[in-house]
Amino acid sequence: MLTSGPAQVITLKTAAGKAARTMKLGTYSLTVRDRSRAHDAHVIAPGFNRKTTIRFVGTQRWKMKLAKVGTLRFLCDPHASAGMRGSAK
């Protein structure tokens, strides 16, 4: 689950609720919760790049296929420089 906001926090967690630090190649069903009109939720990985809009508040479910080895980055575009970002390998 990827959660952006409502405060200046963005997290990527496993189904068990733990911080996602590694991701294996494969296809995932990713629940994205964007909880503030001031943030977006953006995921960038080799072969995958998707985000919500700044004004969107709600939940989306994305199909995410990780077919190449690399770093998965997740961030809030307007607040990444303020620390609202993370990654998993």
Side-chain angles (χ1 to χ4, degrees):
M1 178 177 298
L2 178 68
T3 303
S4 182
Q8 297 261 115
V9 177
I10 190 165
T11 58
L12 180 64
K13 295 186 177 182
T14 67
K18 296 182 179 184
R21 303 217 190 295
T22 60
M23 305 264 319
K24 294 182 180 186
L25 297 181
T27 302
Y28 294 85
S29 179
L30 180 64
T31 300
V32 179
R33 295 184 335 164
D34 192 338
R35 300 175 70 196
S36 170
R37 293 186 188 276
H39 303 304
D40 68 355
H42 192 173
V43 176
I44 304 165
F48 187 85
N49 187 344
R50 189 163 178 187
K51 64 182 173 180
T52 62
T53 62
I54 300 288
R55 306 283 303 153
F56 175 78
V57 174
T59 301
Q60 296 180 359
R61 186 170 295 269
W62 298 346
K63 182 179 178 182
M64 180 175 67
K65 184 175 182 180
L66 301 178
K68 298 179 185 177
V69 174
T71 301
L72 179 143
R73 296 182 297 136
F74 54 96
L75 61 137
C76 167
D77 291 307
H79 302 108
S81 63
M84 210 171 160
R85 65 185 182 280
S87 64
K89 297 223 179 216

